[in-house]
Amino acid sequence: MGSERERERVAVLREYHLLDTPPAAELEAVVRVAATVAEVPTATLNLLDDVKQYQFTTVGFTGRQCARKDSMCAVRLDRGAFVHLPDAREEPDYRDNPWVTGRLGRIVFYASAPLISADGYVMGTLCVFDRRARRLSPEQIGRLRDLAGIVVAFFERRRLARLAAGLKETIQARDRWARTMLDSIDEAVIAVEPGGRVTVINRAAHALHPDADPAAGAAGSAARYRLYEPDGRTPVPDDEVPLVVVMREGFPVKGRELVIRTPGREPRSVVANAAPLRSADGTVNGAVVALHDVTAEHARRRIIEEARERLAAANAELRRSNADLTNFAGAVSHDLVAPLAAVGDTWSCSATRTRRPGIRGWPAGSRRRRRRWPGCGT
């Protein structure tokens, strides 16, 4: 019982979560049918783990748990075969079992069909028994095997339903997480299926397209979303809408500039980056686009450009003023230099001095000299 195979068997049994859930009404019906098919008053659906036998649902008696070592069903469980004992008291493997000796019961006739999972592990048995000896016909054995298969199908259906519920909860949780994440960013995100119907649109995208119909297809999408070329006047053709281009060609669209003109609002300039959504086999089964609002950036560029233009104009005006000032200074300098030059010439020509002998700087008896100045003519 401690083998790796046994541990795997118990793990599969527990994966079905049968021991912690009540039996369904259809399983009780199957056990009743099994008793009818075998023409016995008692039947049970037994499940066995590595420690105990659990009588999941019973007909004709009150079920109870017992140790696995006391279970009749556990004796040949590892064989995975139908067990048919017309008189268990005559079988060496069973005659000393407490369900036969009277300690737990007085079973004489015993038959069990194994409950085999899809992976080939025996989870338990569909068991019929009686206090007197009897023998099943091949037809009865075949029907009991069929009923055991129906029981396993019920188990599998319940397991799949539980997995589906868990998967649905996981998907919903991830969807809530993705929705919260998408709504928390300022980038507008829109995803569509092949027909153009919107499957995802976040808060920022709603703000850009408040009255767009998500259920509408690709036809007329440019007008519906009011898409224009960067000049803000030329409408974008439907076949050039980024999402349509991506689904048609299967390649991403990067850096496509658009203008969205919503009535009653200022036009918004956006940069669209779109990519295809593919299935496991590579088929394009949708597309997603992210719209980055660059209106403020364009406004800043315009302000900077206008400032540059004003600065250039101011520099040109300053250069003109400097040129005018230079010309004015040259004219004033010429007007001042000419009279001063005339005054200088007049002063130079008349500046002859006669020094008498005895006057300081002239020796006694020296003669007066006359100095010529350039331009005086004398």
Side-chain angles (χ1 to χ4, degrees):
M1 293 198 307
S3 67
E4 182 65 26
R5 177 72 179 179
E6 174 63 14
R7 285 192 290 270
E8 291 174 357
R9 186 196 70 81
V10 173
V12 169
L13 173 64
R14 290 173 178 166
E15 184 182 341
Y16 282 84
H17 291 261
L18 299 170
L19 303 179
D20 50 8
T21 58
E26 57 263 30
L27 291 176
E28 296 176 350
V30 170
V31 176
R32 287 195 299 270
V33 172
T36 302
V37 168
E39 298 178 347
V40 296
T42 49
T44 181
L45 189 62
N46 291 334
L47 302 174
L48 293 94
D49 63 12
D50 54 341
V51 178
K52 293 182 179 181
Q53 172 182 275
Y54 304 85
Q55 293 182 328
F56 194 55
T57 183
T58 63
V59 170
F61 73 105
T62 302
R64 56 176 171 168
Q65 298 179 9
C66 73
R68 173 170 168 154
K69 63 182 180 60
D70 295 332
S71 168
M72 292 183 70
C73 295
V75 175
R76 298 178 184 175
L77 187 70
D78 57 342
R79 300 182 187 181
F82 191 92
V83 177
H84 181 208
L85 306 177
D87 191 337
R89 296 170 298 183
E90 297 178 358
E91 296 289 334
D93 294 344
Y94 293 90
R95 63 190 177 193
D96 296 327
N97 188 277
W99 287 97
V100 177
T101 61
R103 186 163 64 87
L104 294 177
R106 291 197 175 275
I107 294 176
V108 177
F109 164 75
Y110 170 85
S112 64
L115 305 175
I116 303 176
S117 72
D119 297 327
Y121 294 98
V122 181
M123 299 177 288
T125 63
L126 176 60
C127 178
V128 293
F129 52 93
D130 198 353
R131 287 175 172 266
R132 63 185 183 88
R134 64 173 59 243
R135 185 179 296 275
L136 296 176
S137 68
E139 183 180 0
Q140 288 174 308
I141 293 175
R143 289 181 179 178
L144 289 175
R145 283 175 172 164
D146 291 342
L147 290 173
I150 292 174
V151 170
V152 173
F154 281 135
F155 288 171
E156 188 67 21
R157 187 187 69 180
R158 178 181 289 189
R159 185 181 73 89
L160 293 177
R162 180 179 55 81
L163 292 177
L167 181 60
K168 180 179 179 181
E169 183 178 348
T170 300
I171 292 174
Q172 289 175 341
R174 289 183 179 178
D175 184 66
R176 289 192 297 270
W177 177 85
R179 172 64 60 183
T180 301
M181 180 190 68
L182 288 174
D183 285 343
S184 67
I185 63 177
D186 293 331
E187 204 93 344
V189 177
I190 302 173
V192 298
E193 61 181 15
R197 188 180 68 86
V198 174
T199 56
V200 174
I201 180 167
N202 70 343
R203 173 191 53 81
H206 269 300
L208 285 175
H209 310 290
D211 56 351
D213 181 10
S221 57
R224 185 165 57 254
Y225 291 102
R226 300 180 176 88
L227 303 180
Y228 292 82
E229 298 292 349
D231 60 12
R233 297 182 299 274
T234 306
V236 174
D238 277 350
D239 59 357
E240 293 185 17
V241 173
L243 286 173
V244 176
V245 173
V246 166
M247 287 191 291
R248 182 180 67 242
E249 301 180 1
F251 295 101
V253 171
K254 301 285 188 180
R256 176 69 157 94
E257 292 195 26
L258 302 166
V259 171
I260 299 173
R261 298 181 58 180
T262 303
R265 299 186 179 187
E266 290 294 325
R268 310 301 297 180
S269 297
V270 299
V271 173
N273 294 303
L277 299 174
R278 300 182 183 274
S279 59
D281 62 358
T283 304
V284 176
N285 59 2
V288 62
V289 65
L291 303 175
H292 177 56
D293 194 330
V294 293
T295 306
E297 182 179 343
H298 284 186
R300 286 193 296 271
R301 288 180 182 176
R302 286 194 298 271
I303 291 173
I304 292 173
E305 187 61 31
E306 290 172 359
R308 286 177 178 173
E309 292 175 358
R310 289 195 298 270
L311 180 60
N315 286 336
E317 179 63 22
L318 182 60
R319 286 193 294 271
R320 187 188 63 77
S321 298
N322 286 339
D324 291 346
L325 183 60
T326 299
N327 294 335
F328 175 74
V332 170
S333 175
H334 179 271
D335 291 345
L336 290 176
V337 167
L340 290 176
V343 171
D345 289 344
T346 303
W347 179 82
S348 298
C349 293
S350 60
T352 56
R353 298 175 59 187
T354 302
R355 295 190 177 184
R356 296 176 182 179
I359 297 178
R360 188 177 59 184
W362 292 88
S366 63
R367 300 182 61 182
R368 183 182 64 180
R369 293 180 181 181
R370 187 176 182 182
R371 185 178 181 181
R372 292 180 180 270
W373 294 90
C376 291
T378 58

